[in-house]
Amino acid sequence: MRKRIPWQGWVIPVIFGVSWYLLGHADLIHTGIFPRIHQVWEAIIFLTQRAALQTHLWVSLQRVLIGFATAGLIGVPIGLGLGWAPQLKPWFDPTLHFLRQIPPVAWIPLFIMWFGIGEASKNAVIFYAAFFPIMLNTQLGVEQIPRTYWEVADLYQFTLWKSLRRLVLPGSAPAIITGLRLGMGMSWRALVAAEMLAASSGLGYLIMTARSLVRLDEMVVGMLIIGVMGVAIDGIFALIASQLLPWTKSVSGVRSTDLGRTSYEESATTDTTGV
Amino acid sequence: MKARNKLVFLCLIVLALLLGSTSLILGQKQLSMTYNPMPFNLPSMVEREGQMLKELGVDVSYNTFLAGYTMTEAMTARQLDIATVMGGTSAITSKAGDRDIQVIGAYSQAPKGFALVGLPDGLRLDQLAGKRISVPIGTEAHYLLGKILAEQGLSFADITVINMLVPDGVAALQTKQVDGAMVVEPVLTRLVHAGQAEVIRDGQDLIAGLTVSVARQGLDQDIIDLFKAGQAQALCFIAEYPDLALEIAARETGLPMALIEQIAPKYQFHTDITPEIKASLTDAIDFLYMEGIIRRKIDVEDLF
Amino acid sequence: MKNQLLQIQQVSKVFPGYPWVTALTGIDFQVISGEFVVILGPSGCGKTTLLRLLAGLEKPSSGLCRYRGQEIDSPSLAISYLFQEPRLFPWLTVAENMGLSGHSEGLTALARRMGLADFLKSFPHQLSGGMAKRVSLARALLANPEVLLLDEPLANLDLPTKIGLQQELISIWRRGITSIMVTHDLDEALAVASRILLFSPRPGRIIHDVVLDMDHPRSQDDQRYLLWKRQIMNWTMEVLNHESTK
């Protein structure tokens, strides 16, 4: 099993951490601009003792999981449908492309009016953020299934259900997983933005409150937790992918962990077939 | 280098020197400061209307900020020299957060200018536990909310705090997304006047409702003195021509005179840091520390 | 005739585009049950297109293809197709790939006969090229077809694999499966065919249709084999000369 983060990956963070500590120790960091590392550590202790950190983290995680799961449950079938039936594309593509251009954050004021400042508006923002990468990558994944495989399906007279199970789903699975990973990343970012605007809990709220109260160390704690959680969740996805898609291991071991290769951002310029 | 190039180079240097010395000779002092007619910043409105600082030879630029912490952020980035009006709480939290700022004078006191409001026949003072209250965190209103809760034997942990600026909080209140909202003037009087909200508790006897003027550390003392002179002129004008001052306020805020006349009596304007003011700031520091709103306890003298 | 299995009647195929490409023109022949027909012709003469028409993967521009009197307008399990490349689904195991037609009776027996028994749980990327081709052939056979279409089945294989597969194809044919194979290799054709259709360069048309009266296994030193080889080479040369004098 390949290690998730090889030792080289730790070099820059460790150099950064040590420099951070030394600069603070030598009194070279102006704490009005950036906290010292021990202040951040104390802030973590302070927030953990008051159970604030756990609460914010848990609340944010719940929001992401709900919004993300909804986006997956709706985005994957729609993506499969659009990829499978290209005649639908001219009908939906322009609208979807238009909606995709609008950052989820721009919807927040409207969502707050429609769904209130409670969980519903946050879930809506996260859904919006995660939906497009999931849907578009799924669509792309189906489109990338080589025509030669479709002929095999024709030849052996696959039923609709058999085509889905034997060809469409497994054939687009790597792209779907890429979409899910991108969608998860988008969810996190949108979540923080949503919680910054109107919330009473969550990591975005933690950062925003820390800003209001001029507590730079707590802001940094919030940022660190968001980054660490993002990396951790992505790692879980990569693990699930390697378990779920055993055939991709040796054919293209990089593929399931390399976000860029089949992502929709690149699809506009390169038309690669996915084998 | 060719002779002609040399000549061009020399000319450029002379031109630069000339331009530089001109601004020195004119002696224009640059000052970037905040300006916001709200909540009810009468001296600022009068000063700008009368161009009092300009006449003192200050090249002043006015910038609008909506919250105290954004002002001290701009000061840290050296894009703002003086925050004319900043809540005492914002000054304290900024200082506790190691921002390089300095209180250079008082601005106004208006305990009744801050209040917790609810919808008519809505929230009651003895029913705060478990309610959702919107408040701009880290402001004077936040401090007042803490005091109101303490008066009822509660703390922040007993309610749900929603971090929102005052206008957003009012919108949330009207769509019943929150049970109560912390508001300030002139929104407070306007809402109550229109029957859209009623005051549950204002700051009377709870807080000083203090705002102060804050400069970034390292700002030229000359400029601070000029700023104070401008403020003094504005206060003189208000004392001498109160009716004229209110007319200016009505025009700047766009509010009807009737409302302005209700709001004005709530406000006292003076610049002296009196022992009473220091005492109320000390109170505030203790309370904010106790509630965990500041994590580092500062001495009141650190503020000046 | 009663035992006419396939009838190809005046079939032409044109691919629209820039320029339009005429792949086949005026193709007309019948296949009788039990034949091993080899379509022999140069690259690009439309051989593969003809197989695709018979498989129902394409429709002729004009003319008709019939299977037992019925027009072929879509694929059916009775006519199975061995693609030139294996076309195995990389996400399915060998066994799952073999059973794609939905028929899996006799899968293990077939796998054992074709030397695939130990690989049933492997994924396609773990197989050699020859092995993958066998899986593909097994998949086509499990559909239980009456006709087997073979598109260059022996191309790009190493010699032992090629000989093994050649014997396999003959034994399949002997078990009663009418086979139609396309190739550009004369020796491959002579090794297996009971009948050879010699195609012209594009646009493809039949220039000779001959029945080979030879038994299996055939030796390349055999007198009749050499005669046929020379005859077909002569015909090919005639076509080339005819083309160049045009």
Side-chain angles (χ1 to χ4, degrees), chain C residues 22-54:
Chain C
T22 307
L24 295 167
T25 174
I27 304 292
D28 201 297
F29 67 96
Q30 285 81 42
V31 176
I32 296 163
S33 184
E35 281 190 303
F36 198 136
V37 179
V38 171
I39 296 169
L40 179 66
S43 299
C45 72
K47 305 182 301 264
T48 297
T49 305
L50 181 58
L51 280 198
R52 293 174 60 83
L53 292 172
L54 294 174

PDB file of all heavy atoms in Angstrom, chain C residues 22-54:
ATOM      1  N   THR C  22     -16.148   5.493 -50.005  1.00  0.00           N
ATOM      2  CA  THR C  22     -16.893   4.299 -50.376  1.00  0.00           C
ATOM      3  C   THR C  22     -16.079   3.104 -49.909  1.00  0.00           C
ATOM      4  O   THR C  22     -14.984   2.846 -50.407  1.00  0.00           O
ATOM      5  CB  THR C  22     -17.092   4.222 -51.898  1.00  0.00           C
ATOM      6  OG1 THR C  22     -17.675   5.464 -52.316  1.00  0.00           O
ATOM      7  CG2 THR C  22     -18.008   3.080 -52.274  1.00  0.00           C
ATOM      8  N   ALA C  23     -16.587   2.397 -48.900  1.00  0.00           N
ATOM      9  CA  ALA C  23     -15.831   1.285 -48.336  1.00  0.00           C
ATOM     10  C   ALA C  23     -16.095  -0.007 -49.100  1.00  0.00           C
ATOM     11  O   ALA C  23     -15.196  -0.801 -49.326  1.00  0.00           O
ATOM     12  CB  ALA C  23     -16.169   1.123 -46.870  1.00  0.00           C
ATOM     13  N   LEU C  24     -17.354  -0.210 -49.476  1.00  0.00           N
ATOM     14  CA  LEU C  24     -17.735  -1.451 -50.147  1.00  0.00           C
ATOM     15  C   LEU C  24     -18.655  -1.099 -51.302  1.00  0.00           C
ATOM     16  O   LEU C  24     -19.437  -0.149 -51.199  1.00  0.00           O
ATOM     17  CB  LEU C  24     -18.497  -2.363 -49.180  1.00  0.00           C
ATOM     18  CG  LEU C  24     -17.746  -2.913 -47.982  1.00  0.00           C
ATOM     19  CD1 LEU C  24     -18.749  -3.517 -46.999  1.00  0.00           C
ATOM     20  CD2 LEU C  24     -16.730  -3.955 -48.404  1.00  0.00           C
ATOM     21  N   THR C  25     -18.555  -1.867 -52.366  1.00  0.00           N
ATOM     22  CA  THR C  25     -19.484  -1.592 -53.457  1.00  0.00           C
ATOM     23  C   THR C  25     -19.921  -2.901 -54.111  1.00  0.00           C
ATOM     24  O   THR C  25     -19.088  -3.764 -54.425  1.00  0.00           O
ATOM     25  CB  THR C  25     -18.858  -0.619 -54.476  1.00  0.00           C
ATOM     26  OG1 THR C  25     -19.743  -0.494 -55.574  1.00  0.00           O
ATOM     27  CG2 THR C  25     -17.506  -1.081 -54.976  1.00  0.00           C
ATOM     28  N   GLY C  26     -21.202  -3.067 -54.264  1.00  0.00           N
ATOM     29  CA  GLY C  26     -21.796  -4.212 -54.961  1.00  0.00           C
ATOM     30  C   GLY C  26     -21.357  -5.574 -54.461  1.00  0.00           C
ATOM     31  O   GLY C  26     -21.049  -6.473 -55.241  1.00  0.00           O
ATOM     32  N   ILE C  27     -21.356  -5.762 -53.160  1.00  0.00           N
ATOM     33  CA  ILE C  27     -20.951  -7.048 -52.593  1.00  0.00           C
ATOM     34  C   ILE C  27     -22.140  -7.995 -52.634  1.00  0.00           C
ATOM     35  O   ILE C  27     -23.231  -7.649 -52.179  1.00  0.00           O
ATOM     36  CB  ILE C  27     -20.468  -6.887 -51.134  1.00  0.00           C
ATOM     37  CG1 ILE C  27     -19.347  -5.871 -51.026  1.00  0.00           C
ATOM     38  CG2 ILE C  27     -20.047  -8.247 -50.560  1.00  0.00           C
ATOM     39  CD1 ILE C  27     -18.063  -6.317 -51.679  1.00  0.00           C
ATOM     40  N   ASP C  28     -21.908  -9.177 -53.147  1.00  0.00           N
ATOM     41  CA  ASP C  28     -23.012 -10.119 -53.306  1.00  0.00           C
ATOM     42  C   ASP C  28     -22.471 -11.529 -53.129  1.00  0.00           C
ATOM     43  O   ASP C  28     -21.659 -11.991 -53.929  1.00  0.00           O
ATOM     44  CB  ASP C  28     -23.604  -9.948 -54.713  1.00  0.00           C
ATOM     45  CG  ASP C  28     -25.016 -10.479 -54.782  1.00  0.00           C
ATOM     46  OD1 ASP C  28     -25.194 -11.700 -54.573  1.00  0.00           O
ATOM     47  OD2 ASP C  28     -25.934  -9.667 -55.034  1.00  0.00           O
ATOM     48  N   PHE C  29     -22.855 -12.196 -52.042  1.00  0.00           N
ATOM     49  CA  PHE C  29     -22.484 -13.602 -51.870  1.00  0.00           C
ATOM     50  C   PHE C  29     -23.369 -14.237 -50.806  1.00  0.00           C
ATOM     51  O   PHE C  29     -24.084 -13.551 -50.076  1.00  0.00           O
ATOM     52  CB  PHE C  29     -20.992 -13.769 -51.531  1.00  0.00           C
ATOM     53  CG  PHE C  29     -20.573 -13.241 -50.181  1.00  0.00           C
ATOM     54  CD1 PHE C  29     -20.482 -14.096 -49.073  1.00  0.00           C
ATOM     55  CD2 PHE C  29     -20.248 -11.904 -50.016  1.00  0.00           C
ATOM     56  CE1 PHE C  29     -20.078 -13.612 -47.837  1.00  0.00           C
ATOM     57  CE2 PHE C  29     -19.843 -11.417 -48.780  1.00  0.00           C
ATOM     58  CZ  PHE C  29     -19.754 -12.268 -47.684  1.00  0.00           C
ATOM     59  N   GLN C  30     -23.333 -15.561 -50.776  1.00  0.00           N
ATOM     60  CA  GLN C  30     -24.087 -16.290 -49.763  1.00  0.00           C
ATOM     61  C   GLN C  30     -23.127 -17.150 -48.961  1.00  0.00           C
ATOM     62  O   GLN C  30     -22.086 -17.554 -49.467  1.00  0.00           O
ATOM     63  CB  GLN C  30     -25.134 -17.210 -50.403  1.00  0.00           C
ATOM     64  CG  GLN C  30     -26.357 -16.508 -50.960  1.00  0.00           C
ATOM     65  CD  GLN C  30     -26.083 -15.915 -52.325  1.00  0.00           C
ATOM     66  OE1 GLN C  30     -25.432 -16.549 -53.163  1.00  0.00           O
ATOM     67  NE2 GLN C  30     -26.557 -14.685 -52.552  1.00  0.00           N
ATOM     68  N   VAL C  31     -23.488 -17.399 -47.721  1.00  0.00           N
ATOM     69  CA  VAL C  31     -22.696 -18.298 -46.887  1.00  0.00           C
ATOM     70  C   VAL C  31     -23.586 -19.463 -46.501  1.00  0.00           C
ATOM     71  O   VAL C  31     -24.711 -19.265 -46.024  1.00  0.00           O
ATOM     72  CB  VAL C  31     -22.165 -17.585 -45.637  1.00  0.00           C
ATOM     73  CG1 VAL C  31     -21.426 -18.570 -44.741  1.00  0.00           C
ATOM     74  CG2 VAL C  31     -21.246 -16.441 -46.036  1.00  0.00           C
ATOM     75  N   ILE C  32     -23.054 -20.646 -46.750  1.00  0.00           N
ATOM     76  CA  ILE C  32     -23.812 -21.852 -46.431  1.00  0.00           C
ATOM     77  C   ILE C  32     -23.374 -22.334 -45.053  1.00  0.00           C
ATOM     78  O   ILE C  32     -22.211 -22.168 -44.664  1.00  0.00           O
ATOM     79  CB  ILE C  32     -23.540 -22.949 -47.488  1.00  0.00           C
ATOM     80  CG1 ILE C  32     -24.056 -22.453 -48.837  1.00  0.00           C
ATOM     81  CG2 ILE C  32     -24.176 -24.276 -47.116  1.00  0.00           C
ATOM     82  CD1 ILE C  32     -23.511 -23.227 -49.995  1.00  0.00           C
ATOM     83  N   SER C  33     -24.293 -22.916 -44.326  1.00  0.00           N
ATOM     84  CA  SER C  33     -24.005 -23.426 -42.989  1.00  0.00           C
ATOM     85  C   SER C  33     -22.827 -24.380 -43.038  1.00  0.00           C
ATOM     86  O   SER C  33     -22.763 -25.256 -43.889  1.00  0.00           O
ATOM     87  CB  SER C  33     -25.255 -24.134 -42.463  1.00  0.00           C
ATOM     88  OG  SER C  33     -25.033 -24.547 -41.145  1.00  0.00           O
ATOM     89  N   GLY C  34     -21.856 -24.200 -42.134  1.00  0.00           N
ATOM     90  CA  GLY C  34     -20.728 -25.095 -42.059  1.00  0.00           C
ATOM     91  C   GLY C  34     -19.510 -24.647 -42.839  1.00  0.00           C
ATOM     92  O   GLY C  34     -18.486 -25.304 -42.811  1.00  0.00           O
ATOM     93  N   GLU C  35     -19.574 -23.482 -43.486  1.00  0.00           N
ATOM     94  CA  GLU C  35     -18.414 -22.996 -44.219  1.00  0.00           C
ATOM     95  C   GLU C  35     -17.435 -22.295 -43.278  1.00  0.00           C
ATOM     96  O   GLU C  35     -17.811 -21.817 -42.203  1.00  0.00           O
ATOM     97  CB  GLU C  35     -18.843 -22.003 -45.302  1.00  0.00           C
ATOM     98  CG  GLU C  35     -19.389 -22.692 -46.556  1.00  0.00           C
ATOM     99  CD  GLU C  35     -19.563 -21.700 -47.699  1.00  0.00           C
ATOM    100  OE1 GLU C  35     -20.297 -20.701 -47.503  1.00  0.00           O
ATOM    101  OE2 GLU C  35     -18.986 -21.919 -48.759  1.00  0.00           O
ATOM    102  N   PHE C  36     -16.170 -22.258 -43.693  1.00  0.00           N
ATOM    103  CA  PHE C  36     -15.199 -21.374 -43.048  1.00  0.00           C
ATOM    104  C   PHE C  36     -14.739 -20.396 -44.136  1.00  0.00           C
ATOM    105  O   PHE C  36     -13.853 -20.693 -44.925  1.00  0.00           O
ATOM    106  CB  PHE C  36     -14.014 -22.166 -42.492  1.00  0.00           C
ATOM    107  CG  PHE C  36     -13.220 -21.405 -41.458  1.00  0.00           C
ATOM    108  CD1 PHE C  36     -12.796 -22.016 -40.280  1.00  0.00           C
ATOM    109  CD2 PHE C  36     -12.887 -20.051 -41.655  1.00  0.00           C
ATOM    110  CE1 PHE C  36     -12.072 -21.325 -39.318  1.00  0.00           C
ATOM    111  CE2 PHE C  36     -12.163 -19.359 -40.704  1.00  0.00           C
ATOM    112  CZ  PHE C  36     -11.756 -19.994 -39.542  1.00  0.00           C
ATOM    113  N   VAL C  37     -15.414 -19.247 -44.202  1.00  0.00           N
ATOM    114  CA  VAL C  37     -15.144 -18.288 -45.260  1.00  0.00           C
ATOM    115  C   VAL C  37     -14.061 -17.332 -44.794  1.00  0.00           C
ATOM    116  O   VAL C  37     -14.143 -16.794 -43.688  1.00  0.00           O
ATOM    117  CB  VAL C  37     -16.417 -17.491 -45.617  1.00  0.00           C
ATOM    118  CG1 VAL C  37     -16.123 -16.480 -46.712  1.00  0.00           C
ATOM    119  CG2 VAL C  37     -17.531 -18.438 -46.031  1.00  0.00           C
ATOM    120  N   VAL C  38     -13.026 -17.164 -45.627  1.00  0.00           N
ATOM    121  CA  VAL C  38     -12.018 -16.162 -45.292  1.00  0.00           C
ATOM    122  C   VAL C  38     -12.105 -15.048 -46.323  1.00  0.00           C
ATOM    123  O   VAL C  38     -12.100 -15.309 -47.531  1.00  0.00           O
ATOM    124  CB  VAL C  38     -10.605 -16.764 -45.284  1.00  0.00           C
ATOM    125  CG1 VAL C  38      -9.573 -15.643 -45.155  1.00  0.00           C
ATOM    126  CG2 VAL C  38     -10.454 -17.722 -44.119  1.00  0.00           C
ATOM    127  N   ILE C  39     -12.261 -13.840 -45.834  1.00  0.00           N
ATOM    128  CA  ILE C  39     -12.275 -12.684 -46.720  1.00  0.00           C
ATOM    129  C   ILE C  39     -10.857 -12.140 -46.732  1.00  0.00           C
ATOM    130  O   ILE C  39     -10.351 -11.663 -45.713  1.00  0.00           O
ATOM    131  CB  ILE C  39     -13.291 -11.639 -46.220  1.00  0.00           C
ATOM    132  CG1 ILE C  39     -14.694 -12.259 -46.290  1.00  0.00           C
ATOM    133  CG2 ILE C  39     -13.216 -10.382 -47.056  1.00  0.00           C
ATOM    134  CD1 ILE C  39     -15.755 -11.468 -45.594  1.00  0.00           C
ATOM    135  N   LEU C  40     -10.216 -12.250 -47.878  1.00  0.00           N
ATOM    136  CA  LEU C  40      -8.808 -11.897 -47.989  1.00  0.00           C
ATOM    137  C   LEU C  40      -8.698 -10.635 -48.828  1.00  0.00           C
ATOM    138  O   LEU C  40      -9.268 -10.544 -49.911  1.00  0.00           O
ATOM    139  CB  LEU C  40      -8.050 -13.051 -48.663  1.00  0.00           C
ATOM    140  CG  LEU C  40      -6.551 -12.865 -48.893  1.00  0.00           C
ATOM    141  CD1 LEU C  40      -5.806 -12.794 -47.580  1.00  0.00           C
ATOM    142  CD2 LEU C  40      -6.009 -14.032 -49.732  1.00  0.00           C
ATOM    143  N   GLY C  41      -7.975  -9.646 -48.294  1.00  0.00           N
ATOM    144  CA  GLY C  41      -7.846  -8.412 -49.068  1.00  0.00           C
ATOM    145  C   GLY C  41      -6.876  -7.475 -48.411  1.00  0.00           C
ATOM    146  O   GLY C  41      -6.503  -7.666 -47.249  1.00  0.00           O
ATOM    147  N   PRO C  42      -6.442  -6.466 -49.145  1.00  0.00           N
ATOM    148  CA  PRO C  42      -5.471  -5.531 -48.592  1.00  0.00           C
ATOM    149  C   PRO C  42      -6.094  -4.672 -47.481  1.00  0.00           C
ATOM    150  O   PRO C  42      -7.312  -4.610 -47.349  1.00  0.00           O
ATOM    151  CB  PRO C  42      -5.091  -4.671 -49.797  1.00  0.00           C
ATOM    152  CG  PRO C  42      -6.251  -4.769 -50.716  1.00  0.00           C
ATOM    153  CD  PRO C  42      -6.836  -6.123 -50.515  1.00  0.00           C
ATOM    154  N   SER C  43      -5.237  -4.008 -46.725  1.00  0.00           N
ATOM    155  CA  SER C  43      -5.727  -3.139 -45.650  1.00  0.00           C
ATOM    156  C   SER C  43      -6.609  -2.042 -46.244  1.00  0.00           C
ATOM    157  O   SER C  43      -6.318  -1.533 -47.317  1.00  0.00           O
ATOM    158  CB  SER C  43      -4.546  -2.486 -44.913  1.00  0.00           C
ATOM    159  OG  SER C  43      -3.750  -3.493 -44.353  1.00  0.00           O
ATOM    160  N   GLY C  44      -7.685  -1.766 -45.553  1.00  0.00           N
ATOM    161  CA  GLY C  44      -8.532  -0.659 -45.964  1.00  0.00           C
ATOM    162  C   GLY C  44      -9.462  -1.005 -47.108  1.00  0.00           C
ATOM    163  O   GLY C  44     -10.013  -0.115 -47.749  1.00  0.00           O
ATOM    164  N   CYS C  45      -9.679  -2.298 -47.374  1.00  0.00           N
ATOM    165  CA  CYS C  45     -10.553  -2.645 -48.494  1.00  0.00           C
ATOM    166  C   CYS C  45     -11.989  -2.851 -48.035  1.00  0.00           C
ATOM    167  O   CYS C  45     -12.829  -3.283 -48.812  1.00  0.00           O
ATOM    168  CB  CYS C  45     -10.055  -3.905 -49.204  1.00  0.00           C
ATOM    169  SG  CYS C  45     -10.318  -5.404 -48.253  1.00  0.00           S
ATOM    170  N   GLY C  46     -12.259  -2.547 -46.764  1.00  0.00           N
ATOM    171  CA  GLY C  46     -13.645  -2.632 -46.307  1.00  0.00           C
ATOM    172  C   GLY C  46     -14.012  -3.974 -45.708  1.00  0.00           C
ATOM    173  O   GLY C  46     -15.183  -4.245 -45.465  1.00  0.00           O
ATOM    174  N   LYS C  47     -13.002  -4.834 -45.430  1.00  0.00           N
ATOM    175  CA  LYS C  47     -13.286  -6.145 -44.851  1.00  0.00           C
ATOM    176  C   LYS C  47     -13.979  -6.022 -43.501  1.00  0.00           C
ATOM    177  O   LYS C  47     -14.990  -6.665 -43.235  1.00  0.00           O
ATOM    178  CB  LYS C  47     -11.978  -6.938 -44.639  1.00  0.00           C
ATOM    179  CG  LYS C  47     -11.123  -7.088 -45.870  1.00  0.00           C
ATOM    180  CD  LYS C  47      -9.884  -7.920 -45.555  1.00  0.00           C
ATOM    181  CE  LYS C  47      -9.034  -7.333 -44.469  1.00  0.00           C
ATOM    182  NZ  LYS C  47      -7.895  -6.521 -44.898  1.00  0.00           N
ATOM    183  N   THR C  48     -13.385  -5.147 -42.652  1.00  0.00           N
ATOM    184  CA  THR C  48     -13.950  -4.988 -41.314  1.00  0.00           C
ATOM    185  C   THR C  48     -15.359  -4.411 -41.403  1.00  0.00           C
ATOM    186  O   THR C  48     -16.263  -4.833 -40.667  1.00  0.00           O
ATOM    187  CB  THR C  48     -13.046  -4.085 -40.471  1.00  0.00           C
ATOM    188  OG1 THR C  48     -11.785  -4.729 -40.320  1.00  0.00           O
ATOM    189  CG2 THR C  48     -13.637  -3.843 -39.097  1.00  0.00           C
ATOM    190  N   THR C  49     -15.556  -3.481 -42.340  1.00  0.00           N
ATOM    191  CA  THR C  49     -16.886  -2.899 -42.510  1.00  0.00           C
ATOM    192  C   THR C  49     -17.907  -3.994 -42.842  1.00  0.00           C
ATOM    193  O   THR C  49     -19.018  -4.000 -42.308  1.00  0.00           O
ATOM    194  CB  THR C  49     -16.856  -1.857 -43.633  1.00  0.00           C
ATOM    195  OG1 THR C  49     -15.847  -0.902 -43.321  1.00  0.00           O
ATOM    196  CG2 THR C  49     -18.194  -1.152 -43.757  1.00  0.00           C
ATOM    197  N   LEU C  50     -17.505  -4.924 -43.705  1.00  0.00           N
ATOM    198  CA  LEU C  50     -18.409  -6.004 -44.066  1.00  0.00           C
ATOM    199  C   LEU C  50     -18.790  -6.828 -42.835  1.00  0.00           C
ATOM    200  O   LEU C  50     -19.962  -7.148 -42.610  1.00  0.00           O
ATOM    201  CB  LEU C  50     -17.740  -6.899 -45.126  1.00  0.00           C
ATOM    202  CG  LEU C  50     -18.579  -8.070 -45.630  1.00  0.00           C
ATOM    203  CD1 LEU C  50     -19.894  -7.579 -46.235  1.00  0.00           C
ATOM    204  CD2 LEU C  50     -17.795  -8.873 -46.657  1.00  0.00           C
ATOM    205  N   LEU C  51     -17.794  -7.136 -41.988  1.00  0.00           N
ATOM    206  CA  LEU C  51     -18.088  -7.902 -40.768  1.00  0.00           C
ATOM    207  C   LEU C  51     -19.038  -7.130 -39.861  1.00  0.00           C
ATOM    208  O   LEU C  51     -19.951  -7.704 -39.268  1.00  0.00           O
ATOM    209  CB  LEU C  51     -16.803  -8.205 -39.994  1.00  0.00           C
ATOM    210  CG  LEU C  51     -15.923  -9.362 -40.456  1.00  0.00           C
ATOM    211  CD1 LEU C  51     -14.988  -9.776 -39.337  1.00  0.00           C
ATOM    212  CD2 LEU C  51     -16.760 -10.557 -40.896  1.00  0.00           C
ATOM    213  N   ARG C  52     -18.815  -5.817 -39.779  1.00  0.00           N
ATOM    214  CA  ARG C  52     -19.665  -4.997 -38.902  1.00  0.00           C
ATOM    215  C   ARG C  52     -21.106  -4.969 -39.425  1.00  0.00           C
ATOM    216  O   ARG C  52     -22.053  -4.928 -38.638  1.00  0.00           O
ATOM    217  CB  ARG C  52     -19.106  -3.579 -38.766  1.00  0.00           C
ATOM    218  CG  ARG C  52     -17.774  -3.554 -38.006  1.00  0.00           C
ATOM    219  CD  ARG C  52     -17.147  -2.169 -38.003  1.00  0.00           C
ATOM    220  NE  ARG C  52     -18.018  -1.191 -37.366  1.00  0.00           N
ATOM    221  CZ  ARG C  52     -18.069  -1.008 -36.055  1.00  0.00           C
ATOM    222  NH1 ARG C  52     -17.298  -1.718 -35.251  1.00  0.00           N
ATOM    223  NH2 ARG C  52     -18.883  -0.117 -35.544  1.00  0.00           N
ATOM    224  N   LEU C  53     -21.254  -4.994 -40.753  1.00  0.00           N
ATOM    225  CA  LEU C  53     -22.597  -5.059 -41.329  1.00  0.00           C
ATOM    226  C   LEU C  53     -23.264  -6.382 -40.950  1.00  0.00           C
ATOM    227  O   LEU C  53     -24.431  -6.413 -40.556  1.00  0.00           O
ATOM    228  CB  LEU C  53     -22.532  -4.934 -42.847  1.00  0.00           C
ATOM    229  CG  LEU C  53     -22.108  -3.577 -43.419  1.00  0.00           C
ATOM    230  CD1 LEU C  53     -21.917  -3.695 -44.929  1.00  0.00           C
ATOM    231  CD2 LEU C  53     -23.139  -2.518 -43.101  1.00  0.00           C
ATOM    232  N   LEU C  54     -22.484  -7.474 -41.040  1.00  0.00           N
ATOM    233  CA  LEU C  54     -23.043  -8.783 -40.722  1.00  0.00           C
ATOM    234  C   LEU C  54     -23.390  -8.896 -39.242  1.00  0.00           C
ATOM    235  O   LEU C  54     -24.339  -9.576 -38.861  1.00  0.00           O
ATOM    236  CB  LEU C  54     -22.060  -9.901 -41.108  1.00  0.00           C
ATOM    237  CG  LEU C  54     -21.806 -10.050 -42.609  1.00  0.00           C
ATOM    238  CD1 LEU C  54     -20.717 -11.075 -42.869  1.00  0.00           C
ATOM    239  CD2 LEU C  54     -23.108 -10.454 -43.303  1.00  0.00           C
TER     240      LEU C  54
END
